[in-house]
Amino acid sequence: MSATIISGKDIAAQIREELKKEVAEMKEKGVVPGLVTILVGKNPASISYVTGKQKTAHEIGFNSIQDDQPDDLAEADLLKLVEKYNKDTKIHGILVQLPLPKHIDEKKVLNAIDPDKDVDGFHPVNVGRLMIGGNEAKFLPCTPAGIQELIVRAGFETAGAEVVVVGRSNIVGKPIANIMLQKGKGANATVTIVHTGTKNLEEHCKRADILIVAAGVPGLVKPEWIKPGACVIDVGVNRVGEKKSEKTGKMVAILRGDVDFDAAKEIAGAITPVPGGVGPMTITMLMKNTVKSAKIHAGMV
Ligand code: GUN
């Protein structure tokens, strides 16, 4: 039997509608979530990501600011800019788009963001809060938070489930493993992280009730590695070529996930497609974090 396709696109749209209503209610009480996205330089992929974030923020009803800075902005000036937004009471979320130009120390900049406005969840304080878990966790990083939402909304039981995470990046692998092992709803799983140093990758994957793949290797996970009925979350977005868009006639990237989707969907119980799976959830969770931040700053939670 063919797997249920978990549409991140549809689930993200549903969450955005929920957020729109929440923001409308907040506005009645005089609170407008504020988000600033800072872009240094003109990296085309970054422009596209930031434009998407701004568009969504406007649609949901945020006070949303796009702060474009030149490629040669001095590191000290970027730190001053971050400090300005740290102090701005109308701003509840600060996002510095990565990557930054080479002359700027990314770590220094991320560490300068007020952890209570760090809606990306990248600041070491928020990484620590996530690790401690429970009420401590404030802003979960957006992609892992989106993955958890997909698993829960697809109706998979996580408590006691065998979760195998392929990949140990700071942005996806490590945080999603931490999220899934916490006590509480949508988690409480038995978690294994596998990586390039793991022996018997295949054997670990075969045990997974929930298999989360974030390796950045197209087609790494073979269909025979999937336990029948498992939930498969493919985080890989690999550019494997280009094609002409039927809609616009422009050249667009051909994207492929880390899982051999066509074959895997005949074995898995549910699976995310690439594109349209995890991707649309990332921006949505950024919006959710910003709403949460505005509520915390306004003493509403
Ligand atoms: N560049 C690519 N993805 C991201 C993201 O989620 N946050 C930031 N700040 N930069 C990125």
Side-chain angles (χ1 to χ4, degrees):
M1 206 177 76
S2 213
T4 302
I5 308 301
I6 306 172
S7 169
K9 205 172 153 206
D10 292 350
I11 294 173
Q14 197 182 321
I15 298 172
R16 285 174 201 184
E17 281 310 308
E18 293 166 11
L19 288 174
K20 243 188 225 174
K21 286 194 191 114
E22 213 173 328
V23 170
E25 284 167 19
M26 289 168 77
K27 281 183 171 173
E28 281 173 16
K29 294 178 184 140
V31 180
V32 185
L35 173 70
V36 61
T37 49
I38 302 173
L39 175 64
V40 183
K42 291 196 161 44
N43 177 324
S46 293
I47 291 173
S48 157
Y49 284 136
V50 166
T51 306
K53 287 168 188 173
Q54 280 296 322
K55 185 171 170 275
T56 310
H58 281 295
E59 279 167 9
I60 293 176
F62 287 6
N63 163 32
S64 189
I65 300 171
Q66 172 56 35
D67 193 330
D68 289 318
Q69 295 291 329
D71 217 353
D72 60 355
L73 180 75
E75 183 184 275
D77 289 333
L78 180 55
L79 291 171
K80 270 188 215 154
L81 194 63
V82 167
E83 196 46 38
K84 182 184 96 168
Y85 289 118
N86 280 345
K87 289 187 182 135
D88 186 338
T89 53
K90 288 200 178 77
I91 294 296
H92 310 103
I94 302 170
L95 181 139
V96 178
Q97 186 66 28
L98 304 177
L100 287 167
K102 286 201 172 59
H103 67 279
I104 298 178
D105 181 348
E106 237 165 55
K107 215 195 273 179
K108 220 182 206 176
V109 174
L110 293 182
N111 290 1
I113 297 172
D114 177 350
D116 291 341
K117 294 189 177 185
D118 167 40
V119 285
D120 248 338
F122 291 165
H123 193 288
V125 166
N126 284 317
V127 176
R129 286 169 170 166
L130 161 58
M131 192 95 171
I132 295 166
N135 289 335
E136 280 295 317
K138 207 163 205 174
F139 302 121
L140 301 184
C142 302
T143 301
I147 293 171
Q148 186 187 33
E149 281 278 353
L150 288 178
I151 296 167
V152 170
R153 290 187 188 231
F156 271 78
E157 180 56 81
T158 56
E162 289 279 347
V163 171
V164 175
V165 178
V166 184
R168 55 179 156 183
S169 70
N170 288 330
I171 290 179
V172 184
K174 285 185 207 164
I176 189 59
N178 253 301
I179 289 170
M180 297 311 291
L181 69 78
Q182 300 295 337
K183 272 191 183 165
K185 214 174 138 257
N188 217 14
T190 302
V191 181
T192 306
I193 307 183
V194 298
H195 46 77
T196 45
T198 300
K199 289 177 193 158
N200 303 327
L201 194 59
E202 178 177 346
E203 294 313 312
H204 287 289
C205 291
K206 278 179 172 166
R207 278 192 298 104
D209 301 311
I210 298 171
L211 180 62
I212 301 168
V213 193
V217 181
L220 172 75
V221 170
K222 307 290 176 275
E224 60 273 20
W225 297 12
I226 294 167
K227 183 174 170 177
C231 174
V232 179
I233 306 289
D234 189 353
V235 192
V237 184
N238 306 291
R239 288 166 188 258
V240 294
E242 280 195 329
K243 64 176 179 191
K244 206 170 184 178
S245 161
E246 282 175 23
K247 244 195 219 167
T248 63
K250 285 186 188 163
M251 294 305 283
V252 291
I254 301 170
L255 302 175
R256 196 168 161 221
D258 290 350
V259 179
D260 178 353
F261 178 83
D262 288 334
K265 78 177 192 318
E266 301 306 321
I267 300 163
I271 187 166
T272 57
V274 177
V278 175
M281 293 298 286
T282 301
I283 293 183
T284 303
M285 300 320 282
L286 175 73
M287 303 301 136
K288 206 168 173 184
N289 277 347
T290 307
V291 168
K292 184 177 181 182
S293 180
K295 283 191 164 177
I296 294 171
H297 279 89
M300 294 167 98
V301 283

